[in-house]
Amino acid sequence: AQKVTQAQTEISVVEKEDVTLDCVYETRDTTYYLFWYKQPPSGELVFLIRRNSFDEQNEISGRYSWNFQKSTSSFNFTITASQVVDSAVYFCALSEASYMDSNYQLIWGAGTKLIIKP
Amino acid sequence: EAQVTQNPRYLITVTGKKLTVTCSQNMNHEYMSWYRQDPGLGLRQIYYSMNVEVTDKGDVPEGYKVSRKEKRNFPLILESPSPNQTSLYFCASSLSTPNTEAFFGQGTRLTVV
C-alpha cells in the first residue's frame, strides 16, 4: 500500500543554518510521482516540486534542493542558508495514479513544521 | 488568473444543519479533490473526481457527499455535520490526474458545535 512518512514533526533552527526535511515513501509501483508542498502560516498550499520515479537526478532551485534516492525510498528536501520566511509546514506527497488499476489518489505525509528563528 | 476558489473561508455551524462548501476552478482541469487537514494527520483525501459525473471515495468519505455536474465545480456537502467534522478543508484541482501539480483553494475552516 502507498504510504508517506515524514518522521520529523517539528524542526527548529537558527536563521542561515542548513536544514533537511526527510520524506520516506512506500509504493509497489515502478511508476510514481513525488511532490513537496509548502504551507506558510497564512495557510495556503504552495507547490514546490514534482519528481517522477524515472528521474533520480537531484534538483536545485535557489536555496532549495531535493535528493531523490530510490534505493532508500526517500525524497529529502534541503534548505540552504535558511531564512525566517522559510518557516512553514512542509508536506511530502506520493501519487501512483494509473488508469490500469483505477488508483487516483494523492497520499500525503503528516508534514514537518519548520521554524526558523532570527 | 488561474485559481481555485472555495467558499466560505470560515464557517461555524451547529450539529445536524446541512451545509455546502463550494469549489470552483477556472483552469479546465479534469481532476478535482477534497481534503481535510487535521493537526498531526496531514491532508487526508475525502473524495475525488476524475471528470464530470465521475466521483470516487478517498480515505475518509464518511459523512460527506460530492457532486460533479460541471467540470469547473466540485461542491462538498455535509448532510448532517457532527463535531468530529470540525477541520480545515481544502479543494484542489489538477490537469488530468494527481500525477500533476495540484492547485489549491484558500481553505475553509469549519467548526461544528
Side-chain angles (χ1 to χ4, degrees):
Chain A
Q2 301 165 290
K3 186 178 180 182
V4 176
T5 302
Q6 294 180 256
Q8 303 150 311
T9 306
E10 184 174 304
I11 300 175
S12 181
V13 301
V14 176
E15 198 172 24
K16 296 182 184 173
E17 286 185 16
D18 298 348
V19 58
T20 296
L21 282 61
D22 297 333
C23 173
V24 174
Y25 61 92
E26 294 177 28
T27 178
R28 293 170 299 184
D29 278 14
T30 56
T31 303
Y32 52 91
Y33 295 80
L34 295 161
F35 301 82
W36 277 94
Y37 286 86
K38 174 182 180 180
Q39 187 177 41
S42 50
E44 73 271 24
L45 283 152
V46 179
F47 168 82
L48 294 178
I49 191 171
R50 166 182 176 259
R51 176 67 57 175
N52 75 56
S53 53
F54 297 107
D55 183 2
E56 285 194 75
Q57 275 196 329
N58 290 335
E59 175 119 0
I60 298 174
S61 176
R63 296 182 296 106
Y64 294 174
S65 62
W66 290 269
N67 182 359
F68 176 31
Q69 291 197 330
K70 289 175 76 170
S71 60
T72 55
S73 297
S74 64
F75 186 43
N76 296 338
F77 173 32
T78 297
I79 301 175
T80 303
S82 60
Q83 299 176 2
V84 172
V85 292
D86 296 325
S87 296
V89 179
Y90 290 88
F91 291 98
C92 181
L94 164 71
S95 172
E96 48 183 47
S98 165
Y99 294 108
M100 292 181 65
D101 60 13
S102 301
N103 177 13
Y104 303 118
Q105 290 190 257
L106 184 60
I107 305 301
W108 296 73
T112 297
K113 184 176 182 180
L114 178 63
I115 300 169
I116 310 295
K117 299 177 184 175
Chain B
E1 180 191 352
Q3 60 185 4
V4 177
T5 304
Q6 270 181 251
N7 280 298
R9 292 288 310 278
Y10 302 92
L11 180 59
I12 300 174
T13 190
V14 296
T15 299
K17 186 177 181 181
K18 181 179 178 179
L19 66 92
T20 298
V21 184
T22 63
C23 174
S24 181
Q25 50 93 4
N26 63 0
M27 295 168 280
N28 202 37
H29 284 172
E30 293 184 353
Y31 186 89
M32 296 186 74
S33 58
W34 276 102
Y35 297 92
R36 60 177 289 172
Q37 182 179 7
D38 301 290
L41 297 177
L43 276 77
R44 293 181 293 168
Q45 195 168 42
I46 303 170
Y47 269 95
Y48 63 90
S49 170
M50 289 294 293
N51 213 323
V52 175
E53 302 293 359
V54 181
T55 63
D56 209 343
K57 296 177 180 178
D59 293 320
V60 289
E62 294 77 23
Y64 304 95
K65 284 175 58 177
V66 294
S67 68
R68 187 95 181 269
K69 295 188 173 70
E70 305 164 282
K71 199 170 188 177
R72 63 184 293 124
N73 296 323
F74 190 45
L76 179 69
I77 303 157
L78 283 73
E79 294 271 2
S80 182
S82 62
N84 64 13
Q85 292 179 298
T86 292
S87 187
L88 178 59
Y89 291 86
F90 286 99
C91 178
S93 73
S94 305
L95 183 59
S96 57
T97 72
N99 291 339
T100 55
E101 174 188 352
F103 293 78
F104 286 85
Q106 291 291 90
T108 296
R109 186 164 291 283
L110 171 67
T111 302
V112 184
V113 298

